Amino acid sequence: MSKISYITDIAEWEEDFQFYYEIKVRFSETDMFGHLNNTVPFTYFEMARIEFFKYKGFMQEWVKPMNETIPVVADLQCDFLQQVFFDENLKVYVKAHSIGKSSVDIHYMGKKEDGSICFTGRGAMVQMSKKTGKGVPWSDEKRNLLQSNAKVNA
Amino acid sequence: MSKISYITDIAEWEEDFQFYYEIKVRFSETDMFGHLNNTVPFTYFEMARIEFFKYKGFMQEWVKPMNETIPVVADLQCDFLQQVFFDENLKVYVKAHSIGKSSVDIHYMGKKEDGSICFTGRGAMVQMSKKTGKGVPWSDEKRNLLQSNAKVNA
Amino acid sequence: MSKISYITDIAEWEEDFQFYYEIKVRFSETDMFGHLNNTVPFTYFEMARIEFFKYKGFMQEWVKPMNETIPVVADLQCDFLQQVFFDENLKVYVKAHSIGKSSVDIHYMGKKEDGSICFTGRGAMVQMSKKTGKGVPWSDEKRNLLQSNAKVNA
Amino acid sequence: MSKISYITDIAEWEEDFQFYYEIKVRFSETDMFGHLNNTVPFTYFEMARIEFFKYKGFMQEWVKPMNETIPVVADLQCDFLQQVFFDENLKVYVKAHSIGKSSVDIHYMGKKEDGSICFTGRGAMVQMSKKTGKGVPWSDEKRNLLQSNAKVNA
């Protein structure tokens, strides 16, 4: 696992996670190779990220139709370490790994019931203005909320 | 196939279709039973129905954010006649089977490359007001467009 | 709701359900109309049905690669009574409505947190032989398990 | 776009693509933010990759149930450069960027009808033995097929 570009020290990286969201693998998420289709963990990341932002108090604001900012996913990546099967119960961990001016780098870790890691991931998110399409800097309040378990970058 | 409640005479029913949309079965749409997952044909119906309404000239209006009416699916059903597999090319036929005041009963037929029917379906759609949430009667123009290959009910 | 063909007395029908599975609506399951996409409840039915069969002790057998029978969905239908939105918590109820020789008619009911019904559905399932592709009659044991909250038909 | 780690010279990178697969954005692939949901391009990558391997003559072998090797996705990533909307027609380009002993790094580029890039991506794939779960080196024939528009690494 030393090859994963966004993980320096896996033990330290793993320890840093606090928040997780539990997901049961659906039958319709398997494919004819008999395991979880590779495109599905990104759906899990989305769910877990949203729950993370709800936990931080952000999401409620972002989904209001009249809200001026919107969270935009800039990129996403996933490393598949183990096959995952129908009916498995996974914990999908989320953390704000590093915070930029108007962006945040979110990291993800999927764990099986035996505690082994089945996939890892990351992706940058930008708080964007609906009008201008440009990044909107985090308020101090949001930055503080994100910072609680994140390293500050800016 | 005599058991399908919405089909009286299968030969006549089959002949009535004119419009179809071509779909290739995706790998991610299969499941661990090795065939197309049962929930996917409803996605095909949606795609084919939208192309049908585009062909009729309706859809363009409905997806405008400021449009006052919206097409609402009241119900959907599908009968699975044959297994479908990865990479098959299907033709999904659509027709307006019967037209109500503000609704239309859409019928669907999925065919394999050998011409055999793999699934059939139907579902009612209502033209609804975004404000009132109630059905908005078809204009004469829309009714005529739908009527061209549909039996009128009203 | 009197128009739903598979429901005679809605109060009685509703009361008959015992088993349910809880589902939270995912962001990726919404569409540009701002609500749950119409194709998604069929995925919920699948999940809830599988949990129902696990609860009855069937599913474990059916997903074994060497098992000789497989559950085949013959048809599926859904009536959409209310819009459903992102992040709602639904209870998807499942019951064996009637039992045939090798088939069972499964009924579904989706409820919002306020207890109101948002969708109903049904679909026949057949226990099929992988070799012959024909229906395999239920064993007495399975019939009894299904019967516990189902009306017998055969 | 200089920030995308797997692209050195974007013009050169873009020019290197030859194969593409056309995809129309489905209604069910949008989300309540009104655009293509971020998890969907990975499904497009899968489809385009499979068509690419079919074009190379590989896929037919891999989906045979008795085949001893299976293509395994090691990782996937996507950079989102522009929003994508319902009903857009995209070209999803695929190339074998670099070839390892038993692996290949696949690159992806999504283009809108106006020729602008809407997303880019990459992911490593390994030809794996079903029995041992270990990488199986490419045959000379396969290596040559991949090499035709790929830089060799090994």
Side-chain angles (χ1 to χ4, degrees), chain A residues 30-133:
Chain A
T30 61
D31 64 31
M32 61 183 280
F33 281 167
H35 57 215
L36 183 71
N37 185 264
N38 295 304
T39 67
V40 180
F42 296 99
T43 309
Y44 295 174
F45 289 173
E46 183 186 79
M47 291 173 66
R49 178 176 67 243
I50 285 170
E51 291 300 313
F52 176 73
F53 281 116
K54 276 166 63 182
Y55 171 74
K56 293 284 185 186
F58 287 35
M59 199 62 208
Q60 295 80 336
E61 188 182 309
W62 280 332
V63 292
K64 282 181 196 153
M66 292 307 136
N67 196 50
E68 284 175 19
T69 61
I70 198 176
V72 171
V73 173
D75 74 316
L76 276 178
Q77 65 187 107
C78 181
D79 287 78
F80 306 93
L81 307 186
Q82 274 189 81
Q83 291 190 81
V84 175
F85 298 99
F86 165 61
D87 214 30
E88 285 203 71
N89 295 300
L90 306 179
K91 286 184 180 170
V92 183
Y93 289 80
V94 187
K95 65 176 171 184
H97 182 73
S98 57
I99 307 172
K101 252 193 184 168
S102 54
S103 69
V104 57
D105 207 54
I106 308 284
H107 281 206
Y108 306 94
M109 174 177 65
K111 279 198 169 181
K112 297 200 172 201
E113 280 184 290
D114 66 4
S116 62
I117 302 177
C118 46
F119 47 73
T120 65
R122 62 154 292 286
M125 266 194 41
V126 181
Q127 179 176 246
M128 194 169 278
S129 160
K130 280 186 190 171
K131 282 186 199 163
T132 67

Side-chain angles (χ1 to χ4, degrees), chain C residues 1-2 5 13 25 31 33 42 48 52 64 75-76 80 83 86 93 99 101 104 118 125 137-138 146 151:
Chain C
M1 269 158 52
S2 57
S5 60
W13 182 81
V25 176
D31 64 31
F33 281 166
F42 296 100
F52 175 73
K64 281 182 196 153
D75 74 317
L76 275 177
F80 305 94
Q83 290 189 81
F86 165 62
Y93 289 80
I99 307 172
K101 253 192 184 169
V104 57
C118 46
M125 267 193 40
W138 302 113
L146 285 173
K151 298 165 195 163

Side-chain angles (χ1 to χ4, degrees), chain A residues 26 28 46-47 54 87, chain C residues 26 28 46-47 54 87:
Chain A
R26 298 178 178 180
S28 59
E46 183 186 79
M47 291 173 66
K54 276 166 63 182
D87 214 30
Chain C
R26 297 178 179 182
S28 60
E46 184 186 78
M47 290 174 66
K54 276 166 64 182
D87 215 31

Side-chain angles (χ1 to χ4, degrees), chain B residues 21 23-24 26-29 40 43-44 46-47 50-51 54 59 63 86-87, chain D residues 21 23-24 26-29 40 43-44 46-47 50-51 54 59 63 86-87:
Chain B
Y21 183 65
I23 287 168
K24 182 183 275 297
R26 299 178 178 180
F27 191 84
S28 59
E29 294 169 350
V40 180
T43 310
Y44 296 174
E46 184 187 77
M47 290 175 65
I50 285 171
E51 291 300 314
K54 276 167 64 181
M59 200 62 208
V63 292
F86 166 61
D87 214 30
Chain D
Y21 184 65
I23 287 168
K24 182 184 276 297
R26 299 178 178 180
F27 190 85
S28 60
E29 294 169 350
V40 180
T43 310
Y44 295 174
E46 183 186 78
M47 290 173 66
I50 285 171
E51 291 300 313
K54 276 166 65 181
M59 199 63 207
V63 291
F86 165 62
D87 214 30

Side-chain angles (χ1 to χ4, degrees), chain C residues 58-72:
Chain C
F58 286 35
M59 199 62 207
Q60 294 81 335
E61 188 183 308
W62 279 333
V63 293
K64 281 182 196 153
M66 292 308 136
N67 196 51
E68 284 175 18
T69 62
I70 198 176
V72 171

